[in-house]
Each structure stands twice: as structure tokens, then as C-alpha cells.
Amino acid sequence: MVIRIAAVGDVHLDQDVVGRFRPALEELPECADVLLLAGDLTRHGTEAEARCVAEEFGGLAVPVVTVLGNHDHQCDQVPQVVKVLQDAGITVLEGNGVVLDCAGGRLGIAGVKGFGGGFAGRCASDFGEPEMKSFVRTTTESADSLGAALRSLDCDLLVALTHYAPVPDTLVGEPLEIYPFLGSYQLGQAIDSAPTALALHGHAHAGSERGTTPGGVRVRNVAHPVIKQAYSVFHVGDQLETDQVSPIGSSGIQRPWS
């Protein structure tokens, strides 16, 4: 059983970018069973920009599943953005999940935008001012909803999809000072609370591609500025060893691990 998962994040679409990804997207059925989008689909989160996303990523020959990112919240038009995407056949997750029937088995995808907070030993705590407590509470509630969604899915393979990073490994290259605003260890804990096969995220444009949760789940940063291609494809299945999950470029040519 092998399921092929294409993924990209941080495409930041507006009218001037429409059409850039489409030629590679039309090739998806040849190399992937599903496309996952790791947030920051738009530049400012407007309904007009969401229509650009719908034009670019809607109507594909494979299912498309997404979470939103911080940019997609900027203009406070989240309900409008979500409706445009859903009308285009794109599944939008936020603290919930979906199970897809693929040729290689039943793929469960749990998704949440996530939030910042930092990582073990260097993280914000639920102490002090109401503003700090609210910040940490947002992180905790987001991670809790991801964990609950992951544990609820009845599937053969389980994938976590977030915008914010669940581990610091994939932030290497970003300034240390902004790590707390790029992700949270609580997302990693949520991922480890279920038999997750792969975790995908974006957000860290200057980060690194590969990491691992404390529980051993492979984490991949699929932000477009990091992968530098229309999408990466990961072959995931029980016939592969964990460290053989392999990214493949949009050309279908396997890129070896570095």
C-alpha cells in the first residue's frame, strides 16, 4: 500500500500569479493521488485573491485539501475565503479531518492552521498578562483540535497538515528570534498523539525542508520558497520504511535525500 501525496504551501496568489502553477498541476494525476496546500494561499486574505486560488487549484483531477495561513486571515474575510475555496471543490480544514479513498488505501488528513508559541525550553507560558494567556490559549486550543482530529480518523495512513511548524528542525535558516512566531512544540505533541505517518507545514520561507517530531514522525516544510517547485510528492505507505518517504519533483523525477 503506497499513497502519493503532493504538497506545497505559501503560494501567495493574486491576479499577477494566476497560471504560474497550472501547467505542473495538470500533471498531478501522473504522480500523485491528492494535493495538500499548507496555507498562505493568498497575499492578504481577500475574497478576490481567494478567487485566484480557486482558479489555479480548483477543478484538478485529484482531490485538493488545504488549511489557511496567517496571510489568509489578514483582511478578516475568512468566511468569504473559505466559501470561495469550497465552491471550487477544495476541502478546507480547521481542527477537523477528512478521509479520502485513494488507489493505495484510505488516506486520513487532519488539518489546522496552528499558531506560534515556541519550542521546548524556549516557549511562551500561560502566565501573566491576559494578552499572554490569550496568545498561549490560542496555541493550545489549536494543537488540541489537531490532536483530536488525528485520533478520530479511521484510515490506513494518517497525515497532519498545518501552516505553522510543529518542530524547530524545519525552521533552521530563519532568525532564532522569530522561532516562537513560526510554530509551537504543542503541534508536535498533537502529531505524536496519533499514529501519524507524515506531517506537512509551510510558513517558514527561509527554513529547512526536513525534520522529525520527538516521537519520530517525519516533518516536511513544503513552503514554496523552500521546495522551489510547484509541489513535492511524498510516497507514503506500509511497504516503505519510515525514512524512505521520498519527495518527487513536479517532473516526476525522484530527488534523493541529502
Side-chain angles (χ1 to χ4, degrees), residues 67-70 73 93-94 111-115 142 162-164 187:
V67 294
L68 300 186
N70 55 305
H73 282 252
L93 300 179
E94 179 54 41
V112 70
K113 174 177 65 68
F115 202 54
S142 180
T162 65
H163 181 60
Y164 284 76
L187 291 171

Side-chain angles (χ1 to χ4, degrees), residues 146-160:
L146 175 64
L150 285 165
R151 295 188 297 272
S152 72
L153 297 177
D154 180 12
C155 56
D156 300 314
L157 287 172
L158 188 58
V159 172

